[in-house]
Amino acid sequence: MSLNVENCNRCGKIYVKNNFGVCPACIKEIELQYEKCLKYLRENKGSSMQELSEATEVPMKQIMKFIRDGRISIKNNPNMTYECDACGNSIREGNLCESCRSRLMKDTSDLHAQEERKRLYQEQHKATFQAKDKNDR
């Protein structure tokens, strides 16, 4: 029989497993941080991520998680941006800036083209070797 407990990803305390990966005390703390952020943003629509973090004492990493989880919308907060996962440039949506997204698409396209060239090369040489093998018999 296994115990249904694990260590909290946030504070390290042992708790009964749940879908959040954190203990009930941390869930409560995260919810309080969320409420602080919402209240501040309602009153200060022009604030930046840095200002929000400093005013609420909520870490920027947690604020970014709220945004990425869809809990905080930056649509009506024109100065709210967060960092691109790849290069760190400021963005307002998604995980990658346009430049990194374009580079990733180009790299993917190049890789597919390279694989196709390799496949064609192998097919051509396979036909050549098969023809040579028939002639040698």
Side-chain angles (χ1 to χ4, degrees):
M1 178 171 136
S2 79
L3 296 176
N4 201 21
V5 296
E6 63 185 10
N7 290 79
C8 177
N9 291 333
R10 202 158 182 250
C11 70
K13 292 180 184 173
I14 295 176
Y15 71 102
V16 176
K17 287 183 186 179
N18 60 37
N19 292 335
F20 302 104
V22 295
C23 69
C26 286
I27 291 171
K28 188 173 183 177
E29 184 180 335
I30 290 168
E31 289 307 308
L32 290 173
Q33 290 176 337
Y34 172 67
E35 292 298 325
K36 276 185 187 179
C37 290
L38 282 185
K39 183 176 187 234
Y40 184 82
L41 287 173
R42 280 189 208 111
E43 298 168 1
N44 303 279
K45 290 199 182 284
S47 64
S48 68
M49 180 86 73
Q50 184 69 35
E51 292 168 341
L52 174 61
S53 178
E54 289 172 4
T56 60
E57 297 180 348
V58 175
M60 287 181 61
K61 185 176 179 180
Q62 182 62 56
I63 295 170
M64 286 177 57
K65 183 159 175 34
F66 291 146
I67 292 168
R68 290 201 170 142
D69 288 349
R71 296 188 72 191
I72 290 180
S73 171
I74 61 173
K75 191 178 267 186
N76 296 324
N77 298 293
N79 296 328
M80 292 282 286
T81 60
Y82 53 94
E83 293 180 351
C84 168
D85 284 348
C87 70
N89 283 337
S90 294
I91 57 174
R92 290 190 46 84
E93 64 183 8
N95 293 334
L96 299 173
C97 66
E98 189 57 39
S99 174
C100 290
R101 193 174 15 255
S102 294
R103 188 180 72 243
L104 182 62
M105 294 294 283
K106 182 185 178 307
D107 291 350
T108 301
S109 177
D110 291 349
L111 184 62
H112 285 298
Q114 183 181 9
E115 289 294 322
E116 182 62 15
R117 283 191 303 273
K118 183 178 177 183
R119 186 186 64 77
L120 289 172
Y121 177 82
Q122 288 174 340
E123 283 179 9
Q124 288 171 349
H125 281 74
K126 182 178 178 183
T128 302
F129 289 128
Q130 287 175 346
K132 185 179 178 186
D133 191 40
K134 284 182 182 178
N135 290 338
D136 288 345
R137 288 184 194 176

Coordinates of all heavy atoms in Angstrom, one line a residue, residues 2 9 11-12 18 27 32 38 41 45 48 66 72-74 78 83-84 86 92 101 106 114 116 118 132:
S2 N 0.7 2.2 -0.9 CA 1.5 3.4 -1.0 C 0.7 4.6 -0.4 O -0.5 4.6 -0.5 CB 1.9 3.7 -2.4 OG 0.9 4.3 -3.1
N9 N 5.8 21.4 -4.0 CA 6.8 22.0 -4.9 C 7.3 23.4 -4.5 O 8.3 23.9 -5.0 CB 6.2 22.0 -6.3 CG 6.0 20.7 -6.9 OD1 6.7 19.7 -6.6 ND2 5.1 20.5 -7.8
C11 N 7.0 24.9 -1.0 CA 7.6 25.0 0.4 C 8.3 23.8 0.9 O 9.0 23.9 1.9 CB 6.5 25.5 1.4 SG 5.3 24.2 1.8
G12 N 8.1 22.6 0.3 CA 8.8 21.4 0.7 C 8.0 20.6 1.7 O 8.4 19.5 2.0
N18 N -2.5 16.4 -4.5 CA -3.7 17.1 -5.2 C -3.3 17.4 -6.6 O -2.1 17.2 -7.0 CB -4.2 18.3 -4.4 CG -3.1 19.3 -4.2 OD1 -2.3 19.6 -5.1 ND2 -3.1 20.0 -3.1
I27 N -1.5 26.9 -1.6 CA -2.6 27.2 -2.5 C -3.3 28.5 -1.9 O -3.6 29.4 -2.7 CB -3.6 26.0 -2.5 CG1 -3.0 24.8 -3.3 CG2 -5.0 26.5 -3.2 CD1 -3.9 23.6 -3.2
L32 N -4.2 34.4 -2.4 CA -4.1 35.7 -1.8 C -3.3 36.6 -2.7 O -3.6 37.8 -2.9 CB -3.5 35.7 -0.4 CG -4.5 35.1 0.7 CD1 -3.7 34.9 2.0 CD2 -5.7 35.9 0.9
L38 N -5.0 41.3 -8.8 CA -6.3 41.7 -9.4 C -6.7 43.1 -8.9 O -7.0 44.0 -9.7 CB -7.4 40.7 -9.2 CG -7.4 39.5 -10.1 CD1 -8.7 38.7 -9.8 CD2 -7.3 39.8 -11.6
L41 N -4.4 45.8 -10.2 CA -4.6 46.1 -11.6 C -5.9 46.8 -11.9 O -5.9 47.7 -12.8 CB -4.5 44.8 -12.4 CG -3.1 44.2 -12.6 CD1 -3.2 42.8 -13.2 CD2 -2.2 45.1 -13.3
K45 N -4.4 50.5 -14.0 CA -4.4 49.9 -15.3 C -3.1 50.1 -16.1 O -2.7 49.4 -16.9 CB -5.6 50.3 -16.1 CG -6.9 49.7 -15.6 CD -7.9 49.7 -16.6 CE -9.2 49.2 -16.0 NZ -9.2 47.7 -15.9
S48 N 3.2 48.5 -15.0 CA 4.0 47.5 -15.6 C 4.1 46.2 -14.7 O 3.7 46.3 -13.6 CB 5.4 48.0 -15.9 OG 6.1 48.2 -14.6
F66 N 0.3 33.5 -13.5 CA -1.1 33.9 -13.5 C -1.5 34.3 -15.0 O -2.6 33.9 -15.4 CB -1.3 35.1 -12.6 CG -1.3 34.8 -11.1 CD1 -0.8 35.7 -10.2 CD2 -1.7 33.5 -10.6 CE1 -0.7 35.5 -8.9 CE2 -1.6 33.3 -9.3 CZ -1.1 34.2 -8.4
I72 N -4.9 36.1 -15.2 CA -4.7 37.6 -15.3 C -4.6 37.9 -16.8 O -3.8 37.4 -17.5 CB -3.5 38.1 -14.6 CG1 -3.7 38.0 -13.1 CG2 -3.2 39.6 -14.9 CD1 -2.5 38.5 -12.2
S73 N -5.5 38.8 -17.3 CA -5.5 39.2 -18.6 C -4.7 40.5 -18.7 O -4.9 41.4 -17.9 CB -6.9 39.4 -19.2 OG -6.8 40.0 -20.4
I74 N -3.8 40.6 -19.7 CA -3.1 41.9 -19.9 C -3.7 42.7 -21.0 O -3.1 43.7 -21.4 CB -1.6 41.6 -20.1 CG1 -1.3 40.8 -21.4 CG2 -0.9 41.0 -18.9 CD1 0.2 40.7 -21.7
P78 N -2.1 48.0 -20.9 CA -1.2 48.3 -22.0 C 0.3 48.2 -21.7 O 1.1 47.9 -22.6 CB -1.5 49.7 -22.5 CG -2.2 50.3 -21.4 CD -2.9 49.2 -20.6
E83 N 8.5 38.2 -20.5 CA 9.6 37.8 -21.3 C 9.3 36.7 -22.3 O 8.7 35.7 -21.9 CB 10.8 37.5 -20.4 CG 11.4 38.7 -19.7 CD 12.5 38.3 -18.8 OE1 12.8 37.1 -18.6 OE2 13.1 39.3 -18.3
C84 N 9.9 36.8 -23.5 CA 9.9 35.6 -24.4 C 10.7 34.5 -23.8 O 11.8 34.7 -23.2 CB 10.6 36.1 -25.7 SG 11.0 34.8 -26.9
A86 N 12.5 32.3 -25.1 CA 13.8 32.0 -25.8 C 14.8 33.1 -25.6 O 15.9 32.9 -25.2 CB 13.6 31.8 -27.2
R92 N 3.6 40.3 -25.3 CA 2.2 40.4 -24.7 C 1.4 39.2 -24.9 O 0.3 39.1 -24.3 CB 1.5 41.7 -25.3 CG 2.2 43.0 -24.8 CD 1.4 44.2 -25.1 NE 0.0 44.1 -24.9 CZ -0.6 44.4 -23.7 NH1 0.1 44.7 -22.7 NH2 -1.9 44.4 -23.5
R101 N 9.7 33.1 -32.9 CA 8.7 32.3 -33.6 C 9.1 32.1 -35.1 O 9.1 30.9 -35.6 CB 7.3 32.9 -33.4 CG 6.2 32.0 -33.8 CD 4.8 32.5 -33.5 NE 4.7 33.9 -33.3 CZ 4.4 34.5 -32.1 NH1 4.3 33.7 -31.0 NH2 4.3 35.8 -32.0
K106 N 11.4 28.8 -39.5 CA 12.4 28.6 -40.5 C 13.2 27.4 -40.3 O 13.5 26.6 -41.2 CB 13.3 29.9 -40.6 CG 14.3 29.8 -41.7 CD 15.2 31.0 -41.7 CE 16.3 30.9 -42.8 NZ 17.1 29.7 -42.8
Q114 N 15.8 19.4 -45.4 CA 17.0 18.5 -45.3 C 16.6 17.0 -45.3 O 17.2 16.2 -45.9 CB 17.8 18.9 -44.1 CG 19.1 18.2 -43.9 CD 19.8 18.6 -42.6 OE1 19.2 19.4 -41.8 NE2 21.0 18.2 -42.5
E116 N 13.9 15.7 -46.5 CA 13.4 15.3 -47.8 C 14.5 15.1 -48.8 O 14.5 14.1 -49.6 CB 12.4 16.4 -48.4 CG 11.8 16.1 -49.7 CD 10.9 14.8 -49.7 OE1 10.5 14.3 -48.6 OE2 10.7 14.3 -50.8
K118 N 17.6 14.2 -48.0 CA 18.2 12.9 -47.6 C 17.4 11.7 -48.1 O 18.0 10.8 -48.6 CB 18.3 12.9 -46.1 CG 19.0 11.7 -45.5 CD 19.1 11.8 -44.0 CE 19.7 10.6 -43.4 NZ 19.7 10.7 -41.9
K132 N 22.8 -1.9 -60.4 CA 24.2 -2.4 -60.4 C 24.2 -3.9 -60.0 O 24.9 -4.7 -60.6 CB 25.1 -1.6 -59.6 CG 26.6 -2.0 -59.7 CD 27.5 -1.1 -58.9 CE 28.9 -1.6 -59.0 NZ 29.8 -0.9 -58.2

